């Protein structure tokens, strides 16, 4: 029965749970159909048979169906498939969130999926975080989420929820295999090879002489490995971490065909400077572990240079523990929540806290303006914040760039936006964000493609690892130049710098789907990407296009088969309904049943 409705029902419980029903009028039972899950306890299964005149549709539900076995074993850091099924539909549910529970305690978030196609078995790839305690049993919980990525409640309870019917044992895993970036191959110029591992605090050793590295053999990785011109070598790497088994040895051969030693020396010197800076941060924190300013600066370094977002977030929160009113930390943590995590409510709360401490903090003001513009679509509020920031500091390039973007994208005041971009470039000719946004204006509004490409190339010279610039230049080559090979290379470079860059994931997925027709590859890339609502929407679009393409190929195959049979005289049309019938027995059966 639906909530609030009365009727005569025969109610059978395999296991009674009195919280799920109460006695109503005339001694009949009023089922409160559990539009929420009351607890993490075992749920009763209800078998309902209606004794009245009119049957009601079953309420929407979600069930975890796989892996269909007992004693499932997962490992820390591993990626696993979870199968689930949904029935019915609720308009207030937008996503399904998957979580790992230890009894009643939430342990980790495993990802999410769109709730848009009921009655269809689906699969989600879940990654077990490394910080989940090992050698213990857990269960997976799926919860219906609204458009704000929060659980949908009714009467203080979850509307749509289910728990896995099988126990999951999480074990300690081996260290994640090292990743060589860029991948092995032939290159036109000297470059640097970065070696990373998904295992936090992992130690990496490598060799370049063909020997196999081990825990005691090989060079300790402390910075990128330079690849010189006119030289072939095989790079082998292995990762270790206390308490983990060693990773597999990953090897690859690199070959450089030409000489650009100046660039190699520049990159090498830059990485040495980064390593020296990081050592200084660690030395300072050894003597003053409670210094909020040092923790904040080190967090910014990890976020901007090392792309270690988890480490940066941990340092920001540690700084706020010692100084809850540290404006720089509040601002930087808000930016990380906004741009990396996609948690706009949390980001806004940090911005508000920072402005309560210092109402004239320029960086917080224009970052908050960016949140209002991009996430809240509050154009007037964003413009007011940009103008306020420029009153405090008219030479702030970041504010000028963001204000120009608002004028360009929202207000359509292209001349004013262009003048602001030029003003920002006069202050900082090498600002990659301004060069990139100015290039977008030249491409989309002025139709000056050569000028736009010049600005993109100039931005990449200044910031060769900026994922946004790489993404925008790749989109330019894809849509304007139709150079799909180079466009794909730029997308891959952007994801190597930031594997969770939302625009790159969506644009690359569009390229693989619309141009290359590599649907499985696009789905795999988007499925393994960090959780973000926009990425999930792109994944759903890819799947729909794939289904349409498969249906079209099936129709083409049927048309070809029909044409072949028509040529051979095997197919005929019914003289009554004009239906195509392929053989004699089919025609006889059709005439007997239909006519």
């Amino acid at each position: 029965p639906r909530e609030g409705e009365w009727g005569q029902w025969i109610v059978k419980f395999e296991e009674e749970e009195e919280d799920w029903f109460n006695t109503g009028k005339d001694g009949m039972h009023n089922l409160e159909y559990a539009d929420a899950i009351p607890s993490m306890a075992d749920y009763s299964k209800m078998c309902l048979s209606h004794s009245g005149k009119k049957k009601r549709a079953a309420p929407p539900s979600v069930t975890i169906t796989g892996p269909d076995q007992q004693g499932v074993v997962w490992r820390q850091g591993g990626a696993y498939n979870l199968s689930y099924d949904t029935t019915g539909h609720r308009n207030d549910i937008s996503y399904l969130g998957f979580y790992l529970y230890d009894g009643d305690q939430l342990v980790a978030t495993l990802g999410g999926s769109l709730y848009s196609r009921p009655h269809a078995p689906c699969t989600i790839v879940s990654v077990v975080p490394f910080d989940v305690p090992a050698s213990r049993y857990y269960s997976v919980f799926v919860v219906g989420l609204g458009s704000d990525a929060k659980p949908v409640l009714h009467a203080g309870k979850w509307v749509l929820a289910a728990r896995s019917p099988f126990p999951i044992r999480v074990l300690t895993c081996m260290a994640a295999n090292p990743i060589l970036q860029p991948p092995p191959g032939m290159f036109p110029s000297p470059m640097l090879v970065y070696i990373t591992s998904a295992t936090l605090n992992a130690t990496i050793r490598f060799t370049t002489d063909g020997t196999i590295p081990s825990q005691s053999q090989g060079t300790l990785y402390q910075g990128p490995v330079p690849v010189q011109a006119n030289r072939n070598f095989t790079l082998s790497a292995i990762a270790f971490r206390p308490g983990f088994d060693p990773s597999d040895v990953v090897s690859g051969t690199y070959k450089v065909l030409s000489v650009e030693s100046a660039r190699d020396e520049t990159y090498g010197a830059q990485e040495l400077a980064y390593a020296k800076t990081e050592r200084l941060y660690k030395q300072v924190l050894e003597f003053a572990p409670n210094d909020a300013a040092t923790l904040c600066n080190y967090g910014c370094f990890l976020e901007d240079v090392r792309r270690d977002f988890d480490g940066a977030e941990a340092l920001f929160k540690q700084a706020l523990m010692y100084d809850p009113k540290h404006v720089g930390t509040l601002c930087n943590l808000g930016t990380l929540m906004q741009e990396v995590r996609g948690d706009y409510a949390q980001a806004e709360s940090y911005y508000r806290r920072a402005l309560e401490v210092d109402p004239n903090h320029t960086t917080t003001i224009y970052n908050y303006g960016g949140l209002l513009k991009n996430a809240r679509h509050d154009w007037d509020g964003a413009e007011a914040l940009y103008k306020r920031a420029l009153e405090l500091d008219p030479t702030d390039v970041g504010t000028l760039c963001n204000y120009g973007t608002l004028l360009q994208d929202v207000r359509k005041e292209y001349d004013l936006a262009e003048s602001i971009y030029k003003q920002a470039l006069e202050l900082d000719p090498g600002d990659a964000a301004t060069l990139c946004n100015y290039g977008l204006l030249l491409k989309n509004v002025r139709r000056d493609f050569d000028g736009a490409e010049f600005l993109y190339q100039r931005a990449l010279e200044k910031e060769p690892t900026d994922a946004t610039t790489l993404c925008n230049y790749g989109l330019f080559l894809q849509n304007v130049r139709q150079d799909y090979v180079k466009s794909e290379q730029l997308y891959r470079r952007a994801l190597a710098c930031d594997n969770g860059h939302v625009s790159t994931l969506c644009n690359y997925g569009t390229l693989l789907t619309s141009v290359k027709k590599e649907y499985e590859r696009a789905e795999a890339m988007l499925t393994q990407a960090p959780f973000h609502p926009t990425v999930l929407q792109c994944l759903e679009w890819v799947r729909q296009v794939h289904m349409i393409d498969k249906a079209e190929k099936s129709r083409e195959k049927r048309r070809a088969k029909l044409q072949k049979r028509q040529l051979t005289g095997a197919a005929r049309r019914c003289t009554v309904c004009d239906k195509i019938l392929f053989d004699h027995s089919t025609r006889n059966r059709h005439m007997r049943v239909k006519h």
Side-chain angles (χ1 to χ4, degrees):
R2 294 182 177 177
E3 179 186 4
E5 293 185 355
W6 299 91
Q8 293 182 352
W9 295 73
I10 299 172
V11 184
K12 298 179 181 179
F13 292 86
E14 293 182 6
E15 178 181 344
E16 282 196 357
E17 185 74 24
E18 294 185 357
D19 291 338
W20 287 46
F21 68 93
N22 55 41
T23 301
K25 298 179 181 178
D26 302 326
M28 293 183 291
H29 287 97
N30 170 29
L31 273 171
E32 300 172 350
Y33 96 86
D35 49 344
I37 299 301
S39 68
M40 287 291 295
D42 292 335
Y43 311 122
S44 302
K45 299 179 180 178
M46 297 185 296
C47 304
L48 307 179
S49 58
H50 188 235
S51 60
K53 297 181 179 180
K54 185 177 181 181
K55 295 185 178 181
R56 298 286 188 181
S61 65
V62 59
T63 307
I64 298 178
T65 59
D68 188 15
Q69 62 186 51
Q70 297 295 319
V72 180
V73 176
W74 287 357
R75 291 188 177 272
Q76 296 170 332
Y80 302 93
N81 290 328
L82 265 175
S83 300
Y84 64 97
D85 196 1
T86 59
T87 61
H89 188 70
R90 284 187 66 100
N91 294 331
D92 52 352
I93 301 291
S94 299
Y95 308 99
L96 295 176
F98 293 81
Y99 306 92
L100 194 66
Y101 270 79
D102 182 4
D104 292 347
Q105 183 67 36
L106 174 63
V107 177
T109 300
L110 300 179
S113 176
L114 285 175
Y115 177 66
S116 58
R117 289 191 293 175
H119 308 288
C122 303
T123 301
I124 181 174
V125 177
S126 301
V127 179
V128 182
F130 286 95
D131 56 356
V132 171
S135 302
R136 302 180 65 175
Y137 286 90
Y138 300 89
S139 59
V140 175
F141 205 72
V142 55
V143 179
L145 308 177
S147 58
D148 57 352
K150 295 182 179 179
V152 176
L153 303 177
H154 181 78
K157 301 175 182 179
W158 290 333
V159 170
L160 198 66
R163 189 177 63 178
S164 59
F166 45 85
I168 296 172
R169 190 182 184 192
V170 175
L171 300 179
T172 303
C173 71
M174 63 191 302
N177 290 342
I179 300 174
L180 307 180
Q181 297 176 345
M186 299 179 64
F187 298 88
S189 62
M191 44 90 187
L192 299 175
V193 179
Y194 291 82
I195 309 176
T196 59
S197 173
T199 302
L200 296 177
N201 301 321
T203 299
I204 298 175
R205 288 188 176 273
F206 69 94
T207 60
T208 58
D209 56 1
T211 59
I212 298 177
S214 65
Q215 199 162 4
S216 59
Q217 183 177 356
T219 304
L220 182 64
Y221 179 80
Q222 295 179 327
V225 182
V227 180
Q228 304 293 342
N230 301 322
R231 179 191 172 197
N232 298 348
F233 73 92
T234 299
L235 178 63
S236 302
I238 189 171
F240 305 92
R241 179 180 170 178
F244 284 55
D245 294 330
S247 71
D248 296 328
V249 177
V250 176
S251 301
T253 301
Y254 291 84
K255 182 177 181 180
V256 176
L257 304 178
S258 64
V259 178
E260 286 185 13
S261 59
R263 176 179 295 180
D264 181 60
E265 292 176 1
T266 301
Y267 283 150
Q270 186 182 49
E271 181 56 35
L272 290 176
Y274 289 153
K276 183 178 179 180
T277 301
E278 189 166 12
R279 285 197 301 270
L280 287 174
Y281 282 133
K282 292 180 179 180
Q283 291 173 2
V284 173
L285 289 176
E286 287 179 1
F287 293 100
N290 301 340
D291 184 66
T294 305
L295 290 167
C296 176
N297 292 335
Y298 190 15
C300 293
F301 175 86
L302 292 180
E303 179 183 359
D304 299 333
V305 177
R306 301 302 190 198
R307 314 301 292 176
D308 181 4
F309 302 120
D310 294 332
E313 183 178 356
L315 288 175
F316 290 148
K317 291 182 177 179
Q318 186 178 351
L320 290 178
M321 288 175 57
Y322 300 122
D323 185 359
K325 295 185 178 181
H326 194 269
V327 178
T329 304
L330 290 168
C331 176
N332 289 322
L333 186 54
T335 305
L336 186 144
M337 290 295 173
Q338 174 186 345
E339 298 179 355
V340 178
R341 306 301 190 199
D343 190 344
Y344 303 124
Q346 193 75 1
E348 188 170 8
S349 69
Y350 285 122
Y351 289 148
R352 289 181 178 274
R353 285 174 57 185
L355 292 177
E356 287 176 2
V357 179
D358 183 2
N360 297 328
H361 193 256
T362 307
T363 306
T364 302
I365 292 173
Y366 83 70
N367 282 345
Y368 191 12
L371 184 143
L372 294 180
K373 177 175 75 75
N374 300 322
R376 305 299 190 203
H377 303 301
D378 182 1
W379 320 125
D380 296 333
E383 187 170 11
L385 287 175
Y386 289 146
K387 290 181 177 179
R388 178 180 163 192
L390 289 175
E391 288 177 358
L392 297 170
D393 185 2
T395 62
D396 188 275
V397 175
T399 307
L400 289 168
C401 177
N402 287 339
Y403 187 28
T405 305
L406 184 141
L407 294 173
Q408 173 184 340
D409 297 338
V410 179
R411 304 301 189 196
K412 309 300 181 184
E413 298 180 11
Y414 303 119
D415 294 335
L416 183 56
E418 186 171 9
S419 67
I420 289 179
Y421 289 147
K422 290 180 178 179
Q423 181 182 349
L425 292 177
E426 288 177 359
L427 296 169
D428 185 0
D431 184 66
T434 305
L435 289 168
C436 189
N437 289 331
Y438 192 11
L440 285 173
L441 186 145
L442 294 181
K443 182 191 76 167
N444 298 329
V445 179
R446 308 299 188 200
R447 315 302 292 175
D448 182 3
F449 301 131
D450 294 335
E453 187 168 15
F454 171 77
L455 290 177
Y456 288 139
Q457 293 173 349
R458 186 174 159 191
L460 284 179
E461 289 177 0
K462 299 296 181 181
E463 295 288 346
T465 59
D466 182 67
T468 301
T469 305
L470 289 165
C471 173
N472 288 334
Y473 190 20
L475 186 63
F476 173 86
L477 294 175
Q478 175 184 340
N479 295 336
V480 178
R481 304 300 189 196
Q482 296 184 347
D483 187 349
Y484 304 123
V485 175
K486 192 172 181 180
S487 176
E488 184 175 6
Q489 292 175 354
L490 290 173
Y491 289 148
R492 294 178 65 181
R493 282 178 57 187
L495 292 177
C497 300
D498 183 359
N499 64 347
H501 195 260
V502 176
S503 298
T504 303
L505 289 167
C506 295
N507 290 336
Y508 193 11
T510 303
L511 174 68
L512 293 175
T513 302
S514 303
V515 178
K516 307 190 76 173
K517 307 298 182 183
E518 298 181 6
Y519 305 109
E520 292 82 2
R521 186 178 167 193
E523 289 186 35
M525 178 190 68
L526 295 173
T527 302
Q528 297 173 6
F531 174 72
H532 195 282
T534 305
V535 176
L536 288 177
Q537 292 175 1
C538 183
L539 175 60
E540 187 69 17
W541 172 80
V542 171
R543 288 172 173 169
Q544 291 177 357
V545 174
H546 191 188
M547 292 177 60
I548 293 172
D549 188 60
K550 288 170 60 175
E552 182 62 29
K553 288 182 179 178
S554 177
R555 285 193 292 269
E556 288 290 341
K557 188 175 180 180
R558 290 183 60 189
R559 282 195 290 267
K561 185 177 180 180
L562 174 60
Q563 290 176 358
K564 182 178 180 181
R565 291 193 175 187
Q566 286 178 335
L567 290 175
T568 58
R572 295 287 187 276
R573 291 186 180 273
C574 176
T575 57
V576 179
C577 63
D578 204 35
K579 181 179 177 63
I580 299 176
L581 306 170
F582 291 103
D583 51 46
H584 182 71
S585 60
T586 303
R587 289 194 292 273
N588 289 342
R589 183 168 60 255
H590 174 78
M591 294 298 296
R592 183 172 66 253
V593 174
K594 297 294 183 180
H595 308 301

